[in-house]
Amino acid sequence: MSLLQVDDLHVSVGGEAILKGLSLRMEAGEVHAIMGPNGSGKSTLANVLAGRPGYEVTGGAIAFKGHPLGQEEPEARAQAGLFLAFQYPVEIPGVSNMEFLKAAQDSHFKANGQAAESPVAFMRRVRTLADSLSLNPEFLKRGVNEGFSGGEKKRNEILQMLLLAPTLAVLDETDSGLDIDAVQTVAAGVNRFRSADNGVLLITHYQRLLNHIVPDFVHVLAEGRIVESGDRKLAETLEERGYAWLAKSG
Amino acid sequence: MGGVFAAELGLESAMSESPLDLVDQEYRAGFTTDVEADTLPPGLDEGVVRYISEKKREPAWMTDWRLAAYRVWREMTPPEWAHVHFPPIDFEAISYYSAPKSLQDGPKSLDEVDPELLRTYEKLGIPLHEQEALAGVAKGGNVAVDAVFDSVSIATTFKDKLKAAGVIFCPISEAVQEHPDLVQKYLGSVVPQRDNFYAALNSAVFSDGSFVYVPKGVRCPMELSTYFRINERNTGQFERTLIVADAGAYVSYLEGCTAPMRDENQLHAAVVELVALDDAEIKYSTVQNWYPGDADGKGGIYNFVTKRGACLGRASKISWTQVETGSAITWKYPSVVLRGAGSVGEFHSVALTNNRQQADTGTKMIHLGPNTRSTIISKGISAGRSQNSYRGLVRTSPAARGARNYTRCDSLLLGDACGAHTFPYIENKSPSATVEHEATTSKVSDDQMFLCQQRGIDPEKAVSMIVNGFCKEVFRELPMEFAVEAGKLLEVSLEGAVG
């Protein structure tokens, strides 16, 4: 049973076809990178996996850990272990980060029949995680992403991933807008997360991130389909020759 | 009931039971109590006013004061300027006095109170037994309660402890007997009989309510609280509260309210007067959860209330904090008259409307003295098909040199069938005054909802978290145990608002 199996997936947004027959298979313990030019459908793939409203599956199938994903609500997918790190994390004023994280973890624990963690143990764990990502503990008291810089928002996404320990983490352009130090911090977080039991789907426009998180497979997405797959060397080729090379050869 | 006023704020706001803990169901306070009541037939004339006064064994001055109010009221018409709509009220169809029969001879000791009544408050989670209330004290709560059931006060707790500190906290009917000089001096001094239609009506027929006097230099040793309960059908509740803080005194006062679910509308027309002398401070907090009517707007309380404080002394301070989630219609403007030099008025409000509820609420800050300051923070949340209006007046007189006001009104909309309105009035006659007004309107965004859901949080919980975050500034002003309750109350009131 694959961690994620996507077969001939067609997705429309607002009536416009974006994904046109995408297929992808991931096993536990693997890191896959999805690369591609702007507008190729990378973020659509991330959102449709997470069940975002407005992303309509018009054909094909997704199976997560052997269970077909159809009409499941986003929260049910999340509780089943599917995590999406957002490209543009939104602010929720007045809701403290700590409160938000606790509500998120409680919902996961509850769905899995686990008793909620004590606030003291929880807070200690969150502070340690924040520290490992060079996040100032003050951020935990502030509103969710409220007044955070771009880099702080992305590190906050990684914090949430480490806390919720999903089986599949989808990282949507997590490296965009980050300076090199922040990329390294984020990459260190993802490398720490990697294990034989989970998978990471890295969506990125640039090869840069893949110097720090080494993928097992690299796929190129163009015009709604995967047009090329390979190992990390494919990413290097793309870096040298650009996406135009693929368009010509395909 | 141990956890009644317990303070467990923080990550797990998991409180056990509390006065306003109405979390499980839509409106858990909606039950009725089966006690034999002594209820006047509907209708209002001088005879009714005299009857009420006699029932309370009032002195002649009090009877005359009521009758004067009644005559003024007869000449007045209900106000129509508020942004609320309802059929005319038939004031002859309301009963103006109702009391449980067992209390006909006035409040007795708690041991003699009808167990059925005690069970009512137990169900609501109000601690009338001092030992049990004290059990909650260990957790940080420390509250004396005056419980008003329809037209009478049934019990007041911790009277002895307060007496030792010199604080008077008793039903206003008792204060008229025991402290006539104080009542005569201050009653109607802030809200005169002829102030407005509903205040005049209240002055004529008010039946009970609380009286507080904190003497010079005394910091009241505990929170004071009144819990209002309407039970009897077709009765109005007209309570009167008077709080006087003498020079240098401090008191924090909490008010909570519920009523059974009934198909017909019921009238609640209260008057609250606060008086703060030199350097005194009064903090008045309300969590209002009167029955709001059903989803189609049938039934519910008409909450037409006049609340006003007078900062008479220099450097005195009055702050109103209100969380309004109940009532079919709310018409209410807790105000402060800033007379003393350097006195301070504050108004912090959360008003949430859902289904067919209507609220027209806000404040008046009247700056009369020099260097007076006022702050207004209003948070309105509209859901369902409700209408939510902020109406506020900031007035500075020529003598109010250097007066300052800061006003912020934020509205949050859930769905697109509801309305949020802001009616700010600024009348500035003091050239050296500074008046600032800011307003925002926002919606709970799809992106915020999706972020929460992607982290496993269900939509109802997500909305309640986002709304609570929106209100945080105001909740911070509430005593801690009330803040937790207020958050939970919002959650209940928002049920069905998502989707």
Side-chain angles (χ1 to χ4, degrees):
Chain A
M1 179 188 68
S2 300
L3 178 62
L4 178 71
Q5 182 158 356
V6 180
D7 290 314
D8 193 28
L9 186 67
H10 288 70
V11 174
S12 293
V13 180
E16 189 192 345
I18 306 288
L19 295 186
K20 305 162 190 169
L22 182 146
S23 297
L24 176 70
R25 190 181 182 134
M26 276 181 74
E27 307 298 332
E30 295 176 354
V31 173
H32 290 237
I34 304 253
M35 303 184 70
N38 287 328
S40 57
K42 299 192 299 290
S43 285
T44 297
L45 175 62
N47 282 310
V48 79
L49 290 175
R52 188 172 198 139
Y55 291 76
E56 193 196 349
V57 176
T58 54
I62 306 168
F64 175 50
K65 293 194 277 193
H67 302 285
L69 285 185
Q71 297 302 310
E72 279 77 12
E73 295 297 333
E75 60 271 26
R77 298 174 189 222
Q79 290 158 4
L82 197 157
F83 179 90
L84 170 61
F86 289 87
Q87 185 176 2
Y88 304 109
V90 67
E91 300 187 359
I92 309 180
V95 177
S96 83
N97 229 352
M98 193 65 104
E99 181 188 353
F100 177 77
L101 294 171
K102 184 73 161 80
Q105 177 175 285
D106 284 354
S107 75
H108 279 71
F109 278 24
K110 193 176 169 197
N112 297 311
Q114 250 178 295
E117 192 178 10
S118 85
V120 175
F122 172 79
M123 285 165 72
R124 193 180 300 135
R125 214 152 54 81
V126 169
R127 287 206 192 93
T128 311
L129 283 176
D131 191 50
S132 73
L133 293 165
S134 311
L135 262 175
N136 186 327
E138 277 303 302
F139 289 121
L140 298 169
K141 296 182 192 161
R142 300 235 301 261
V144 176
N145 294 321
E146 202 180 356
F148 286 24
S149 72
E152 286 159 355
K153 284 181 184 173
K154 296 295 177 74
R155 276 182 277 166
N156 196 23
E157 295 292 291
I158 300 303
L159 171 67
Q160 291 167 44
M161 178 186 76
L162 291 171
L163 179 72
L164 298 175
T167 37
L168 174 61
V170 181
L171 275 56
D172 188 6
E173 306 255 2
T174 297
D175 54 328
S176 69
L178 294 188
D179 62 32
I180 187 65
D181 290 344
V183 168
Q184 282 175 356
T185 311
V186 164
V190 175
N191 286 329
R192 188 144 58 91
F193 168 74
R194 290 176 81 158
S195 81
D197 303 321
N198 61 37
V200 177
L201 188 59
L202 279 178
I203 291 174
T204 182
H205 190 73
Y206 303 105
Q207 198 263 342
R208 178 179 70 161
L209 182 64
L210 307 185
N211 293 332
H212 304 281
I213 307 169
V214 178
D216 301 297
F217 299 94
V218 175
H219 310 278
V220 180
L221 184 57
E223 292 176 4
R225 292 189 304 121
I226 288 179
V227 294
E228 189 79 37
S229 294
D231 59 16
R232 63 171 304 200
K233 291 203 182 74
L234 175 58
E236 289 161 13
T237 312
L238 285 170
E239 183 82 351
E240 286 165 25
R241 303 178 63 175
Y243 292 111
W245 154 72
L246 276 165
K248 275 176 208 142
S249 71
Chain B
M1 293 212 310
V4 164
F5 280 98
E8 289 175 25
L9 195 68
L11 284 166
E12 278 186 319
S13 48
M15 297 271 296
S16 44
E17 296 207 13
S18 282
L20 303 143
D21 183 2
L22 312 164
V23 180
D24 301 334
Q25 301 302 323
E26 290 166 343
Y27 190 78
R28 212 172 74 184
F31 61 88
T32 55
T33 304
D34 196 14
V35 288
E36 257 198 289
D38 169 24
T39 305
L40 265 185
L44 181 55
D45 56 23
E46 287 205 10
V48 168
V49 177
R50 283 181 197 281
Y51 175 87
I52 295 170
S53 192
E54 265 167 45
K55 269 273 171 208
K56 305 272 176 198
R57 299 188 181 123
E58 286 175 352
W61 63 264
M62 195 66 246
T63 314
D64 292 343
W65 195 86
R66 288 176 178 275
L67 287 168
Y70 171 74
R71 286 167 200 141
V72 168
W73 178 73
R74 269 283 173 232
E75 305 302 317
M76 298 174 95
T77 51
E80 286 177 354
W81 41 261
H83 189 73
V84 294
H85 303 279
F86 58 97
I89 298 172
D90 181 0
F91 290 92
E92 295 301 320
I94 295 170
S95 167
Y96 289 87
Y97 187 82
S98 177
K101 272 216 167 113
S102 58
L103 294 174
Q104 241 168 4
D105 301 320
K108 305 171 187 175
S109 85
L110 205 55
D111 298 341
E112 295 170 56
V113 172
D114 185 340
E116 194 60 34
L117 284 176
L118 291 181
R119 270 194 289 278
T120 299
Y121 286 88
E122 205 172 303
K123 265 161 101 176
L124 292 166
I126 313 295
L128 294 185
H129 286 102
E130 295 186 5
Q131 294 85 339
E132 291 172 20
L134 278 168
V137 171
K139 290 182 162 179
N142 190 7
V143 182
V145 179
D146 183 20
V148 177
F149 191 86
D150 287 336
S151 299
V152 290
S153 168
I154 67 163
T156 309
T157 61
F158 292 109
K159 275 166 107 167
D160 294 340
K161 181 173 176 188
L162 291 167
K163 203 173 170 185
V167 174
I168 302 169
F169 178 43
C170 66
I172 197 154
S173 52
E174 189 182 315
V176 170
Q177 312 283 345
E178 308 286 329
H179 312 283
D181 44 337
L182 284 170
V183 175
Q184 226 174 335
K185 183 170 176 187
Y186 291 110
L187 187 73
S189 69
V190 186
V191 180
Q193 290 130 303
R194 57 176 61 250
D195 188 80
N196 68 70
F197 182 84
Y198 297 110
L201 178 62
N202 174 287
S203 301
V205 302
F206 78 85
S207 37
D208 227 327
S210 300
F211 174 76
V212 176
Y213 174 76
V214 187
K216 268 183 195 153
V218 171
R219 193 177 168 88
C220 189
M222 60 208 307
E223 305 264 358
L224 303 183
S225 148
T226 302
Y227 191 84
F228 296 104
R229 174 78 177 167
I230 298 179
N231 187 59
E232 203 58 31
R233 192 177 291 272
N234 294 325
T235 52
Q237 191 174 46
F238 305 95
E239 85 270 2
R240 185 111 196 167
T241 298
L242 174 59
I243 300 175
V244 180
D246 213 323
Y250 169 86
V251 61
S252 168
Y253 183 90
L254 323 171
E255 177 201 288
C257 356
T258 56
M261 295 161 77
R262 295 196 187 281
D263 288 343
E264 68 271 25
N265 295 106
Q266 286 183 287
L267 178 63
H268 174 251
V271 172
V272 175
E273 296 177 281
L274 311 182
V275 178
L277 302 181
D278 285 354
D279 300 307
E281 180 176 349
I282 301 174
K283 200 169 159 52
Y284 192 105
S285 310
T286 306
V287 176
Q288 187 262 111
N289 183 30
W290 292 117
Y291 177 53
D294 68 13
D296 299 318
K298 197 169 170 52
I301 300 289
Y302 289 167
N303 192 33
F304 300 157
V305 169
T306 306
K307 291 184 166 176
R308 195 175 305 151
C311 282
L312 293 185
R314 66 179 147 66
S316 54
K317 180 176 175 182
I318 289 178
S319 63
W320 297 101
T321 303
Q322 62 171 21
V323 176
E324 304 279 317
T325 64
S327 296
I329 302 179
T330 299
W331 179 94
K332 175 179 170 189
Y333 314 91
S335 304
V336 185
V337 180
L338 298 151
R339 193 175 290 281
S343 57
V344 177
E346 288 178 0
F347 175 73
H348 306 273
S349 170
V350 166
L352 181 147
T353 53
N354 195 2
N355 296 321
R356 301 257 176 187
Q357 282 177 272
Q358 307 175 59
D360 193 298
T361 184
T363 184
K364 290 186 275 187
M365 291 292 173
I366 312 295
H367 292 257
L368 302 178
N371 300 315
T372 45
R373 282 179 289 141
S374 63
T375 305
I376 299 171
I377 306 287
S378 164
K379 305 273 182 180
I381 302 123
S382 323
R385 309 176 64 87
S386 68
Q387 294 293 325
N388 198 331
S389 302
Y390 166 80
R391 189 182 301 277
L393 167 69
V394 177
R395 179 186 288 158
T396 61
S397 77
R401 291 179 308 279
R404 285 206 312 260
N405 163 264
Y406 173 73
T407 299
R408 210 177 74 241
C409 297
D410 296 327
S411 304
L412 186 67
L413 299 168
L414 284 91
D416 45 21
C418 53
H421 316 272
T422 305
F423 303 99
Y425 305 85
I426 297 170
E427 296 172 13
N428 191 355
K429 296 204 175 88
S430 165
S432 59
T434 313
V435 178
E436 278 180 83
H437 181 94
E438 290 175 17
T440 66
T441 301
S442 53
K443 287 186 92 160
V444 175
S445 77
D446 293 345
D447 287 352
Q448 289 172 330
M449 289 299 290
F450 184 61
L451 168 60
C452 293
Q453 288 177 266
Q454 213 304 304
R455 297 301 181 253
I457 301 164
D458 70 66
E460 296 237 332
K461 168 83 181 158
V463 165
S464 113
M465 236 170 54
I466 293 168
V467 170
N468 266 290
F470 174 75
C471 300
K472 186 163 275 179
E473 247 180 300
V474 172
F475 288 173
R476 246 199 305 261
E477 296 294 323
L478 288 169
M480 205 195 280
E481 52 275 10
F482 252 42
V484 174
E485 287 322 304
K488 291 190 158 190
L489 198 51
L490 285 191
E491 202 166 313
V492 179
S493 306
L494 279 167
E495 265 176 28
V498 186

